[in-house]
Amino acid sequence: MKYLFLFSITPVQEFIKQARKTQDLYAGSFILSHLCRTAAKKAEQDYKARIVFPVLTNKAIINRFLAVVNDSDTSKNLDMGRQIEHSVRKEFWQMAETIFNDMKISEPPGFREQLDKQINNYWHCYWVFEEFPNNQFAQSYKKIEQSFGAIKNTKIFKQLEQEPARKCSITGEHNVLFYRTGQKKNFVPNFAAPVSQKIPLKLLDSKEKLGGITFVKRCAEKYFEPSSYIADFPSTADIALMATLEDFRGEIPKTGVNSAALLDRSNGKPMPEGLDGETKENTNKAFGVLRTNKVKLTPYYALVLFDGDNMGRWLAGDFINEKANLEDFQNHLSSQLGQFSNLAQKEIVTPPIGKTVYAGGDDFLGFINTTHLFETLKELCNEFTQINLGEFTSFKPTFSAGIVVAHWKSPLEEVLGWARRMEKEAKNIDGDKNAFALAILKRSGEIHKAIYKWLYDDNWTLDILKDLIARIKETVNNPPGQEFSSNFIKTLNQEFQKIMDDDGNLFHEGLIKSEIKRLLQRSYLPGKKPGETSQEFKLRKELAVQNLLVTLKTLYKCNINLQSFLSTLNIADFLAREA
């Protein structure tokens, strides 16, 4: 008798989102993928298990795996589960020990006991076996998913007992175990380990005091090979300026330019502390070039989070042909998702477009420069729907995305929370999902958001948005030959906000369309050209108004209500000025 074995590591979202820097976000995703790979390889190598999904050769994998185990001895299988669970904690401990040794951490009395509590109480592994009779993979898989769900819903945990002391600057839950020498202790417990001031500030900032889990995550570069781990993940400031700096790559220094310092300089602020002489010099050179060319630096970037739609049903075989073999399909799907993952992070979301944090196949997290946002989203969506499943089904996979445009100084955990919220709202648009939700988090605190399907009547919503932004951008940047003033957006907001119902609707579409046309006619700026007759001018104006009116009417149809449409216009206006 064979068995199916399903194994999962938690916490996931909590471990990833507890981040002050993009490096923390990347490290959290990387470590989770590494721990799951460690567990799967343990099952494969020590217990001859056959991994069904994910494909372990993929660069990043999800936090769980499914395997077929040929041993029918129940006691041996139970021991296998325990040993694989132990291998996860052992690997994280190995990370910690390697980091401490590399950094020559001196352990005060009581340090080890506190660290044991934090690490051993943090990671939770859930696993279950299910009998797998011959030719009954689909039935066994359905049963193991049901059992697994029941186990995860029964939360078993130990109370983390800690004495009153200062908490970690990032998690807010663990006692501080690491602080930089020379800092005021300010309630830091005596068992906390002092860290030399010689270590880089990126590993422990002068204002930070960290717990054990966060410190290991922050210093992960000390454990992983440079060929597999990105030790200098781009900051939010780097993402915001990627496209601009690339445009002037031949005129500014190739290295040593600090994006955060550039943004501060553009706002009349001094260089931040802690920069070395070369970085200051190169940053000043870059600032001089950009100022000479009258380049406006945008302080905004985009965070994109997406997840495959109905992946539980896909894995259960709900969309495959009746004669298709579910195990073969899961293997094929995992392989195809892995190929998409590699494409996304190696070819699509790369500098100067952005940087991938995590691409596990059906889910993705990454930063994108606002200049390239819409074209990159369209490419990702196109490639995902082209995943080749034709051998098993005629259906096409889709995903729903949460997209947040935020200021580079906005708290990263807050931005990530908004991305997850937007993803959830996109998935709730209707039963088919296949949508995206976009939120703008202004530095002032003002928020605009809207939800869209990717396609309406075979037209890409992103193309329609991009067209509108291009037209408004001409107005904002005031190039020669501009056609319309963007004031029509402010006027529409002022007029219709007063007469919408509580659900953001106004059931007089004729009134809305007539008013948009009236305002566009008033917003047309050019006068008559030399030698142009009044009739020719009138036709030119009508054609320009009609073209923009078609775009706006299409966008209005794409939105769920008038409030969402007005938010769309505000989003377009903002991106035209800031992107």
Side-chain angles (χ1 to χ4, degrees):
M1 175 72 72
K2 294 184 289 188
Y3 280 85
L4 287 182
F5 176 61
L6 188 57
F7 184 92
S8 174
I9 302 171
T10 62
V12 178
Q13 290 189 20
E14 178 185 336
F15 183 63
I16 293 174
K17 77 177 184 179
Q18 291 175 335
R20 286 188 63 238
K21 305 177 181 182
T22 56
Q23 190 72 47
D24 297 338
L25 202 60
Y26 169 74
S29 298
F30 190 94
I31 290 170
L32 270 171
S33 181
H34 173 73
L35 291 178
C36 187
R37 197 188 313 273
T38 298
K41 285 185 175 180
K42 176 80 172 176
E44 190 177 51
Q45 295 170 3
D46 291 5
Y47 298 95
K48 310 305 177 187
R50 175 164 50 83
I51 306 300
V52 179
F53 67 78
V55 176
L56 299 186
T57 54
N58 292 344
K59 188 170 183 180
I61 62 173
I62 56 177
N63 67 307
R64 69 178 201 157
F65 69 88
L66 177 70
V68 176
V69 179
N70 291 314
D71 200 324
S72 59
D73 188 317
T74 303
S75 61
K76 286 184 179 180
N77 287 340
L78 289 175
D79 182 65
M80 168 186 166
R82 295 187 190 101
Q83 290 301 318
I84 293 175
E85 180 176 347
H86 175 69
S87 73
V88 171
R89 293 192 174 89
K90 181 181 178 182
E91 178 62 17
F92 194 79
W93 266 111
Q94 181 62 39
M95 286 180 60
E97 297 290 0
T98 302
I99 290 167
F100 299 163
N101 290 335
D102 182 88
M103 301 178 73
K104 297 179 173 56
I105 299 295
S106 176
E107 301 182 9
F111 169 86
R112 181 62 55 164
E113 179 185 352
Q114 295 295 320
L115 185 66
D116 285 349
K117 286 182 180 179
Q118 291 187 13
I119 292 180
N120 292 334
N121 281 282
Y122 191 79
W123 297 108
H124 298 280
C125 299
Y126 297 92
W127 47 273
V128 62
F129 286 90
E130 180 66 43
E131 289 185 357
F132 173 23
N134 290 331
N135 302 319
Q136 293 188 31
F137 180 88
Q139 298 90 324
S140 298
Y141 178 74
K142 184 177 180 180
K143 288 180 181 178
I144 201 170
E145 284 287 7
Q146 291 173 342
S147 301
F148 191 75
I151 290 171
K152 289 193 72 173
N153 287 334
T154 306
K155 300 290 184 182
I156 300 174
F157 63 94
K158 279 186 175 181
Q159 181 67 39
L160 178 58
E161 297 180 357
Q162 302 180 110
E163 64 181 65
R166 181 161 181 161
K167 304 304 178 188
C168 174
S169 302
I170 295 180
T171 68
E173 56 185 278
H174 298 122
N175 280 345
V176 168
L177 290 181
F178 300 91
Y179 67 98
R180 202 174 184 89
T181 56
Q183 288 180 311
K184 292 182 179 179
K185 295 192 71 172
N186 293 335
F187 303 106
V188 170
N190 292 328
F191 50 72
V195 179
S196 170
Q197 292 208 43
K198 294 180 180 180
I199 72 161
L201 287 170
K202 72 171 187 174
L203 298 182
L204 184 62
D205 192 85
S206 58
K207 297 179 182 179
E208 290 180 320
K209 296 174 175 64
L210 303 181
I213 299 292
T214 307
F215 186 75
V216 172
K217 181 166 75 168
R218 176 68 65 77
C219 300
E221 66 180 74
K222 299 289 186 181
Y223 181 73
F224 295 110
E225 292 294 328
S227 59
S228 64
Y229 183 83
I230 303 172
D232 292 302
F233 196 90
S235 67
T236 52
D238 292 331
I239 301 294
L241 297 186
M242 264 186 181
T244 301
L245 295 181
E246 182 64 25
D247 288 341
F248 292 89
R249 186 57 63 194
E251 301 177 51
I252 63 176
K254 293 183 179 180
T255 58
V257 175
N258 187 285
S259 298
L262 265 181
L263 288 167
D264 281 341
R265 284 293 313 272
S266 69
N267 288 322
K269 296 179 180 178
M271 289 272 193
E273 297 179 4
L275 300 182
D276 59 56
E278 183 182 358
T279 300
K280 288 181 179 180
E281 181 181 352
N282 288 345
T283 302
N284 280 325
K285 285 180 181 178
F287 179 73
V289 170
L290 296 172
R291 183 172 57 181
T292 300
N293 287 276
K294 298 181 179 179
V295 176
K296 179 185 176 184
L297 299 182
T298 176
Y300 287 88
Y301 69 93
L303 180 65
V304 176
L305 173 71
F306 69 70
D307 183 51
D309 295 325
N310 303 308
M311 288 312 296
R313 293 183 61 194
W314 275 101
L315 288 170
D318 290 359
F319 300 110
I320 65 174
N321 305 325
E322 288 185 10
K323 295 182 179 180
N325 180 283
L326 180 59
E327 183 180 357
D328 291 342
F329 170 71
Q330 288 184 350
N331 270 302
H332 181 75
L333 176 62
S334 180
S335 176
Q336 289 291 307
L337 289 173
Q339 290 179 33
F340 168 78
S341 166
N342 291 334
L343 180 70
Q345 61 187 319
K346 291 180 180 179
E347 298 185 28
I348 300 178
V349 186
T350 58
I353 290 171
K355 194 67 178 176
T356 301
V357 175
Y358 174 82
D362 69 301
D363 54 352
F364 172 92
L365 176 64
F367 295 92
I368 299 178
N369 180 274
T370 54
T371 302
H372 300 286
L373 178 59
F374 289 160
E375 64 193 54
T376 306
L377 287 170
K378 184 177 176 181
E379 186 175 3
L380 286 168
C381 191
N382 253 329
E383 291 293 342
F384 194 83
T385 57
Q386 295 305 312
I387 287 175
N388 182 15
L389 303 176
E391 180 184 347
F392 300 91
T393 179
S394 59
F395 290 95
K396 295 281 188 181
T398 62
F399 68 70
S400 295
I403 306 148
V404 179
V405 175
H407 192 275
W408 72 280
K409 286 189 174 181
S410 298
L412 194 54
E413 187 171 347
E414 179 183 342
V415 177
L416 184 60
W418 268 97
R420 295 199 183 282
R421 176 177 172 182
M422 289 296 95
E423 182 198 38
K424 186 176 181 180
E425 291 192 18
K427 285 186 177 292
N428 290 335
I429 191 171
D430 59 29
D432 294 330
K433 304 178 182 180
N434 193 21
F436 68 98
L438 172 62
I440 304 290
L441 309 184
K442 292 186 179 181
R443 180 66 168 164
S444 64
E446 188 179 0
I447 297 172
H448 298 294
K449 63 175 185 173
I451 310 167
Y452 321 87
K453 300 288 283 186
W454 291 108
L455 292 166
Y456 284 94
D457 299 329
D458 295 327
N459 295 313
W460 282 92
T461 308
L462 293 169
D463 287 343
I464 302 168
L465 278 169
K466 191 175 178 180
D467 178 61
L468 173 59
I469 290 169
R471 293 170 183 269
I472 299 173
K473 200 176 189 73
E474 290 180 354
T475 302
V476 173
N477 293 339
N478 195 28
Q482 64 172 322
E483 290 186 314
F484 292 94
S485 165
S486 59
N487 286 336
F488 76 89
I489 294 177
K490 299 179 182 66
T491 305
L492 281 173
N493 274 277
Q494 291 168 357
E495 291 177 345
F496 289 130
Q497 291 285 358
K498 299 175 183 177
I499 56 177
M500 286 188 298
D501 62 22
D502 292 341
D503 295 324
N505 291 308
L506 180 63
F507 297 101
H508 297 283
E509 286 197 15
L511 171 63
I512 297 169
K513 293 175 181 177
S514 296
E515 182 60 8
I516 290 174
K517 184 174 182 179
R518 184 185 74 83
L519 290 174
L520 288 180
Q521 288 173 332
R522 290 180 58 186
S523 299
Y524 188 72
L525 298 177
K528 287 174 60 177
K529 296 179 180 179
E532 186 178 38
T533 66
S534 298
Q535 184 64 25
E536 289 171 338
F537 170 72
K538 182 179 179 181
L539 288 174
R540 179 161 58 88
K541 177 179 178 179
E542 284 297 324
L543 181 61
V545 169
Q546 188 61 33
N547 286 339
L548 186 51
L549 187 61
V550 168
T551 298
L552 293 173
K553 282 183 176 179
T554 306
L555 268 180
Y556 178 74
K557 193 168 93 172
C558 293
N559 282 273
I560 56 177
N561 56 31
L562 177 59
Q563 180 63 67
S564 181
F565 172 66
L566 294 177
S567 290
T568 299
L569 296 184
N570 291 328
I571 287 170
D573 187 26
F574 176 82
L575 290 176
R577 286 182 283 106
E578 295 292 347

